[in-house]
Amino acid sequence: MIAIRRRSSSYAVLACLLALSASGCGLSAELERERDPDPKLPPSPSATLPVELPPAVTPEASPSVPVQQDSGCPASGVRLGTEVVQGAMGLRATSLTLANCGSRPYELNGYPSITVLDEAGAPLTGVRAVEGTDEVSMAPEDPGPEPLTLAPGESAYASLYWRTNNQKGIYLRVAPAKGREVTTVRAEDYLDIGPDNVLGTSPWKPLE
């Protein structure tokens, strides 16, 4: 089994992208005003980007939804997962990860195919996943796809962006590309994306 390890670099990339998409250095001050419009003391210095996180209470997921096995390497030779959600100014972002846990190279070229599901495993009403980020306000520009081959043990990620809404996506039904084997994974954090919303995706990139 090859575990998908969290990478601090991917968090830093997401934080930087969010900062750039929200007018750079003014984001920290704006978030501080949202949390405490009448501060009594100056905010403590922080080396990390302040984030606006979803509420802590997540709906219970249905045990009847078939999901990727918890351990071992699936027959597809890849394991999928997600990272924690980051957000600011109504923009949300997370990473979808893919690890080659098989014994052969795994080729990627383009975007994942994703459907967002609720706690019962049903697609969220009107939520569309699209290739690129043009339809998501304030999301970073899509860098465009490039061919990528993962050797056994290597991993890749694709960034996901959306504008916050009031229905929660608990699962992601994912294919590494259209036409490939589909896997359902429980999201690390729920996606507050539904209804009638757009999930923008970046292309697969190597996770270093």
Side-chain angles (χ1 to χ4, degrees):
M1 166 185 168
I2 296 179
I4 300 175
R5 296 185 298 174
R6 295 183 184 278
R7 301 297 180 95
S8 59
S9 60
S10 66
Y11 297 146
V13 169
L14 281 174
C16 290
L17 291 175
L18 285 167
L20 287 173
S21 69
S23 302
C25 60
L27 175 58
S28 177
E30 178 63 26
L31 288 176
E32 195 62 41
R33 286 195 293 272
E34 287 183 5
R35 287 198 301 269
D36 188 0
D38 185 22
K40 301 298 187 297
L41 295 173
S44 300
S46 173
T48 60
L49 175 72
V51 295
E52 174 189 317
L53 296 176
V57 179
T58 301
E60 289 295 327
S62 171
S64 65
V65 178
V67 296
Q68 174 183 257
Q69 62 196 54
D70 291 335
S71 61
C73 187
S76 63
V78 297
R79 286 193 65 83
L80 293 160
T82 66
E83 302 286 1
V84 297
V85 170
Q86 299 191 49
M89 309 292 285
L91 177 65
R92 297 286 191 259
T94 189
S95 288
L96 177 68
T97 58
L98 182 151
N100 181 359
C101 58
S103 58
R104 300 178 180 179
Y106 192 86
E107 294 183 356
L108 294 166
N109 186 9
Y111 302 79
S113 176
I114 302 173
T115 302
V116 184
L117 311 177
D118 64 16
E119 66 270 21
L124 282 180
T125 303
V127 173
R128 299 182 297 113
V130 299
E131 295 181 354
T133 57
D134 290 348
E135 296 187 47
V136 182
S137 175
M138 296 174 62
E141 185 177 353
D142 178 10
E146 294 181 359
L148 173 63
T149 300
L150 300 179
E154 292 183 336
S155 298
Y157 75 96
S159 298
L160 311 181
Y161 300 95
W162 67 97
R163 300 298 300 182
T164 181
N165 213 333
N166 58 16
Q167 289 185 358
K168 300 174 177 64
I170 305 302
Y171 299 98
L172 299 179
R173 184 184 294 154
V174 181
K178 290 180 180 178
R180 291 198 184 180
E181 183 173 346
V182 175
T183 301
T184 300
V185 296
R186 172 91 186 253
E188 181 74 18
D189 284 344
Y190 66 75
L191 280 63
D192 49 351
I193 189 173
D196 303 323
N197 207 343
V198 176
L199 178 70
T201 63
S202 76
W204 292 109
K205 297 293 182 183
L207 181 59
E208 299 176 351

